Amino acid sequence: MNLPCQRALHCAVAAARAAGRLMLRHRAAPKKINLQSRYDIKLELDVRCQKLIEKTLLRSFPDSALLGEEGLAGPQESPLRWVVDPIDGTVNFTYGVPHACVSIALQERLDAGQFSTVIGVVYDPFCNELWTAIRGGPARLNGKVIHASRRKKLAEAVVAIGFSKTRQSLNESLPVFNALVPRVRKIRMMGAAALSLTYVASGRFDAYIEAGVSLWDIAAAGLILECAGGEFWHRPLPGGRQYRMIANNGLLRAKLERVARSARKNVLSS
Ligand code: LIP
């Protein structure tokens, strides 16, 4: 497919910046909660940001589909699909923690219902940081080329971890967390998957682990990490839209997997 990548990238950046402005305008305003569960919150602003993004993207690409955290839009059989998280880090945003972002990916449909991400945009309006990538090209932060770190030792690594939204993922992740804490330099739990991935792509973190993240949390930033020389290792969980992920700088997965495996074994044998 002859995809106008630069035009699609510009369109995604414009949509991300527009949603970022809407987030900043509502930063200090009372938050209207549409839905909340034990470990999650969904805001009315999530829906408004997604509507704004949909309008911008589908105006320029009317034949494309959109899969977002707040619902679907456009012809779902289209060979092109936008994957959108209008506010990644919604709980942070709700509590006034300035660590959240807009995530927009463009995917091409391959055979057998598979998709390949070809464009990734992640925008943090609080720090005015914009990460972009087109498959096959370099990853950029505010226009400058970025690379993942070259740290090989766990003892020197800063590792981000997320517990996702369910008791099950919490129970699964806690033993890994406990096993990792004494073996790495520092653990960080930031609450926005897309930003933790772009921080690995920028060499700020060396790895990021989470089970139970959704496609819209990781699609754009996963491509940005790959284009920065890192490894976006992710496997679908049953049900197909959620993933187990061990994102890293390309040098640490085997060591991280060994720790995770032994942690799980210990739980099972105890
Ligand atoms: C969040 C992810 C985060 C995860 C949270 C939630 P949301 O996405 O970015 O990594 O730990 O449970 O899934 O809901 O803010 O878009």
Side-chain angles (χ1 to χ4, degrees), residues 39-42 46 69-70 85-92 161-166 189-196 208 210 212-214 216-217 242:
Y39 301 112
D40 193 28
I41 290 174
K42 288 195 171 301
D46 282 295
E69 180 161 9
E70 307 308 324
D85 190 344
I87 304 180
D88 185 36
T90 300
V91 173
N92 283 348
I161 195 165
F163 287 163
S164 195
K165 303 177 178 184
T166 62
M189 189 177 293
M190 308 295 283
L195 285 179
S196 288
Y208 166 45
E210 186 155 1
V213 276
S214 301
W216 43 73
D217 295 319
Q242 298 210 308

Side-chain angles (χ1 to χ4, degrees), residues 97 220 238:
V97 178

Side-chain angles (χ1 to χ4, degrees), residues 15-220:
R17 287 193 184 282
R21 285 191 294 274
L22 192 54
M23 287 168 70
L24 289 182
R25 277 207 301 279
H26 287 78
R27 178 178 187 170
K31 310 289 184 291
K32 183 169 177 311
I33 295 179
N34 280 358
L35 203 64
Q36 60 184 320
S37 62
R38 185 73 184 74
Y39 301 112
D40 193 28
I41 290 174
K42 288 195 171 301
L43 294 176
E44 184 258 343
L45 194 68
D46 282 295
V47 178
R48 284 183 57 192
C49 284
Q50 181 161 325
K51 287 285 171 240
L52 180 58
I53 293 166
E54 280 174 20
K55 203 172 73 194
T56 310
L57 297 176
L58 301 188
R59 184 173 50 219
S60 301
F61 292 84
D63 305 329
S64 63
L66 187 142
L67 162 67
E69 180 161 9
E70 307 308 324
L72 304 176
Q76 292 302 308
E77 70 289 349
S78 167
L80 281 182
R81 175 173 81 171
W82 299 96
V83 180
V84 172
D85 190 344
I87 304 180
D88 185 36
T90 300
V91 173
N92 283 348
F93 185 79
T94 306
Y95 284 68
V97 178
H99 187 75
C101 64
V102 183
S103 174
I104 301 175
L106 181 60
Q107 298 189 318
E108 273 182 331
R109 185 187 296 275
L110 308 175
D111 303 337
Q114 298 296 311
F115 286 87
S116 164
T117 305
V118 287
I119 285 172
V121 170
V122 171
Y123 179 54
D124 171 352
F126 301 100
C127 301
N128 193 24
E129 290 192 314
L130 177 75
W131 286 270
T132 57
I134 295 176
R135 183 170 292 286
R140 296 176 188 277
L141 167 54
N142 291 347
K144 289 203 186 68
V145 173
I146 56 171
H147 296 286
S149 78
R150 306 303 297 156
R151 293 183 195 96
K152 293 188 183 73
K153 297 190 183 122
L154 275 188
E156 294 170 1
V158 172
V159 176
I161 195 165
F163 287 163
S164 195
K165 303 177 178 184
T166 62
R167 168 62 71 169
Q168 189 217 342
S169 56
L170 194 64
N171 293 342
E172 191 187 307
S173 309
L174 265 175
V176 178
F177 172 81
N178 292 335
L180 272 176
V181 170
R183 289 181 175 81
V184 300
R185 174 150 284 155
K186 284 295 181 190
I187 291 274
R188 293 288 177 257
M189 189 177 293
M190 308 295 283
L195 285 179
S196 288
L197 280 165
T198 56
Y199 279 26
V200 179
S202 306
R204 296 172 183 176
F205 292 161
D206 305 293
Y208 166 45
I209 295 177
E210 186 155 1
V213 276
S214 301
L215 182 61
W216 43 73
D217 295 319
I218 60 175

